[in-house]
Amino acid sequence: MTPEQVQLVQQSFARVSPIADQAAVLFYDRLFEIAPQVRTMFPADMTEQRRKLMATLAIVVNGLSDLPSILPAASALATRHVAYGARPEHYPVVGSALLWTLEQGLGDGWTENVADAWAAAYGTLSGFMIEQAYGRPLAAE
Ligand code: HEM
């Protein structure tokens, strides 16, 4: 990621933060629509899960300016996800639901550069997590 992309991700995320809970509702609705098979991996009540996801995203987005600072936590998160039943092939699906959600939340702010920056950020994070948890990166789409 270029420093400009890091800035675009941070600035656009700041615009979604005030509606974090609605964004999380949109995200999981979208995820369960495009990948209904993962619904049973999650608890019936998603309240706490939504909060955890947005809190973690905030930490990651903030940490993009100093990637090494978040890698240990990202590695541990990836390892926990193996026990949740997450598979490498789920990561692009989650990424697609995330980018879709940001597009809805940002409206006009969802420019091509912002989209590219988020794709790079999610690609970096998910590639690292997959490598940590499964020992191999998933080929880029
Ligand atoms: C970069 C991508 C992802 C991020 C940032 C993320 C974030 C989180 C966070 C913060 C939690 C709360 C529990 C914890 O911290 O261990 C969680 C739980 C969970 N995630 Fe993810 N996740 C990602 C990718 C995925 C993928 C690809 C799947 C596959 C379907 C998945 C499925 C789950 C499930 C099933 C739970 C546990 C629900 C429960 O039993 O409480 N996540 N995730």
Side-chain angles (χ1 to χ4, degrees), residues 28 31 38 41-43 49 52-53 56-57 60 77 80-81 84-87 90-91 94 122 125-126 129:
Y28 285 112
L31 178 64
V38 306
M41 291 163 56
F42 289 88
Q49 181 67 32
K52 285 182 189 164
L53 175 76
T56 301
L57 278 181
V60 170
L77 180 67
R80 289 199 296 279
H81 274 71
Y84 301 152
R87 299 292 315 147
H90 291 140
Y91 279 83
V94 165
Y122 186 79
L125 176 65
S126 63
M129 286 175 68

Side-chain angles (χ1 to χ4, degrees), residues 94-136:
V94 165
S96 143
L98 178 66
L99 267 65
W100 179 89
T101 303
L102 290 162
E103 182 177 359
Q104 309 309 307
L106 288 169
D108 287 351
W110 184 252
T111 63
E112 207 173 314
N113 284 345
V114 171
D116 286 349
W118 273 98
Y122 186 79
T124 302
L125 176 65
S126 63
F128 175 76
M129 286 175 68
I130 291 166
E131 211 169 347
Q132 292 295 304
Y134 310 97
R136 65 184 165 90

